[in-house]
Amino acid sequence: MDDIRDVLIIGGGHAGMSAALTTYRALLKTVIFDTQRPRNRWNTQIRLTATWDAKPLSVNRMASRDELAKTGFVEFVDTAIHSISKTDDGLFRASDAAGRTWLGRKVLLAMGCSTSFPQIPGYENQFAKRIYPCMFQFGFEERGAQSAGLLAVDGLASASMAAALADDGHRFSHNFTIYTNGDATLASDLGETVTAYGIKVDDRKIRELHADEGGKGIVIDFSDGSSETEAFLVHRPTTVNDSPLIRQLGLDMTPTGDIATSMPFCQTSMPGVFAAGDCASMAKIIPQAMAMGAYAGCGIARELPRRVTGNPCT
Ligand SMILES: Cc1cc2nc3c(=O)[nH]c(=O)nc-3n(C[C@H](O)[C@H](O)[C@H](O)COP(=O)(O)OP(=O)(O)OC[C@H]3O[C@@H](n4cnc5c(N)ncnc54)[C@H](O)[C@@H]3O)c2cc1C
């Protein structure tokens, strides 16, 4: 039974590694599968995370891996898990992209989520450079900007969402405009709420987004041939939980499309399967992923039999 791992963690980001930091302290043999494609694949500086402020994400991930590898209880396998199922004897069988099969007593899904960008030419190229998903992460360095804006499209195409995030962005710039990309109804709804706060609304149809010549701003080209330049644009793209593993395990989801878990230990609707981080939370930030991972690690340990001696992987 030596080839049965105590815990199979799928996803080696903040949630998965935080969970392993807990499971090793309970003497559990843990394997982390990771395709190394974190949600923040732009590797921007970390914010909102104590002791890591302004450090690149990749440095944090490497430090965390080193820390875990040294314990002797955690093994990293840098490949994708393609399928997973529960066996008749209550174990979990996972198959990886290299065709290997892994058996585990418990599973933690910590695989993050995908991002779906608006269909506006140039958007993806400017994302995380001049288009910011969260002003608490990106705003401070932009403070005092002359003019900035918000794209009220996709998940932000509602007056309440656009107004809330515009307020976040307006904090950092003297002038602020909400661009509705041709949605006149939304522009009219917004006009009543936001103009009182000095925010303008613009309903011209956007043709393309691109960097300005100095690289310090973003240019919005409109279909009518006009254009505007802003220091930055606020927009949070839609996140999607599209991993086939969720369907294979038949997990319950929340109304907002995340894996449903019970608090605090992050059990899913399938006994023995836990989920933490962006795939299982509406709040998609590092501290939340780490906290959920730590709790899931405790919950997993408590569901497994007592260990008296360690049995390191190495
Ligand atoms: C541009 C940007 C900047 C951000 N900046 C900040 C910030 O400054 N501060 C902050 O708190 N939050 C920030 N965030 C949010 C933060 O990145 C996420 O909340 C955090 O990464 C969630 O951690 P996670 O472990 O749940 O998922 P991830 O970090 O996305 O890790 C999931 C891991 O699972 C792997 N994986 C997925 N599927 C499989 C599979 N089938 N098999 C094997 N491996 C798999 C992936 O390759 C990935 O490495 C930012 C997000 C973006 C988009």
Side-chain angles (χ1 to χ4, degrees):
M1 301 290 272
D2 267 359
D3 57 346
I4 301 175
R5 305 308 199 278
D6 292 312
V7 196
L8 307 179
I9 295 183
I10 299 159
H14 308 281
M17 289 198 280
S18 171
L21 205 55
T22 309
T23 55
Y24 101 80
R25 300 201 61 81
L27 311 175
L28 301 178
K29 275 173 66 172
T30 299
V31 56
I32 298 181
F33 302 95
D34 191 37
T35 45
Q36 302 198 55
R37 283 197 295 272
R39 172 141 164 265
N40 181 4
R41 63 183 154 89
W42 299 267
N43 195 28
T44 57
Q45 295 180 342
I46 291 181
R47 305 291 178 187
L48 319 178
T49 307
T51 77
W52 283 93
D53 194 44
K55 300 195 176 75
L57 172 73
S58 54
V59 177
N60 171 283
R61 282 174 59 104
M62 279 317 295
S64 194
R65 278 175 83 107
D66 287 351
E67 203 167 64
L68 289 168
K70 281 183 197 141
T71 68
F73 283 84
V74 184
E75 182 184 356
F76 284 90
V77 178
D78 287 334
T79 190
I81 291 299
H82 281 172
S83 67
I84 190 157
S85 59
K86 198 168 190 172
T87 66
D88 291 341
D89 44 6
L91 295 171
F92 293 92
R93 179 181 292 113
S95 303
D96 71 22
R100 288 169 297 190
T101 297
W102 303 80
L103 285 175
R105 295 183 171 86
K106 300 287 174 192
V107 167
L108 173 68
L109 300 178
M111 62 237 173
C113 60
S114 307
T115 306
S116 164
F117 295 112
Q119 298 295 306
I120 299 177
Y123 177 104
E124 193 168 345
N125 199 29
Q126 289 303 309
F127 183 72
K129 293 182 194 146
R130 288 279 139 204
I131 299 176
Y132 300 144
C134 171
M135 292 315 290
F136 292 96
Q137 287 157 9
F138 292 93
F140 186 81
E141 284 65 35
E142 299 289 349
R143 62 195 184 281
Q146 194 53 41
S147 183
L150 173 137
L151 294 174
V153 300
D154 289 5
L156 299 194
S158 82
S160 57
M161 284 301 292
L165 269 77
D167 201 34
D168 288 349
H170 195 194
R171 189 181 298 273
F172 301 102
S173 85
H174 296 289
N175 300 303
F176 201 88
T177 305
I178 298 178
Y179 296 96
T180 68
N181 191 24
D183 188 335
T185 310
L186 176 59
S188 149
D189 292 349
L190 273 162
E192 290 160 22
T193 9
V194 299
T195 44
Y197 301 100
I199 293 175
K200 290 184 281 181
V201 180
D202 187 317
D203 70 356
R204 282 174 285 177
K205 180 92 182 142
I206 297 171
R207 182 166 51 82
E208 188 182 1
L209 301 169
H210 57 91
D212 77 349
E213 285 191 0
K216 290 198 170 147
I218 180 164
V219 181
I220 310 165
D221 288 337
F222 298 98
S223 300
D224 63 6
S226 59
S227 65
E228 301 285 349
T229 301
E230 302 288 14
F232 62 87
L233 290 174
V234 181
H235 186 259
R236 185 185 296 166
T238 308
T239 51
V240 193
N241 267 304
D242 53 3
S243 168
L245 306 181
I246 298 173
R247 187 179 30 80
Q248 290 163 13
L249 290 165
L251 302 181
D252 289 351
M253 305 297 282
T254 66
T256 50
D258 302 303
I259 300 173
T261 58
S262 56
M263 294 301 285
F265 294 117
C266 303
Q267 293 100 336
T268 68
S269 55
M270 167 164 289
V273 179
F274 295 68
D278 280 9
C279 65
S281 173
M282 236 178 95
K284 298 188 194 313
I285 58 170
I286 295 166
Q288 172 78 353
M290 287 180 165
M292 290 182 83
Y295 271 109
C298 294
I300 287 169
R302 286 178 173 170
E303 286 191 8
L304 285 170
R306 170 174 173 261
R307 284 283 154 73
V308 181
T309 54
N311 185 17
C313 303
T314 50

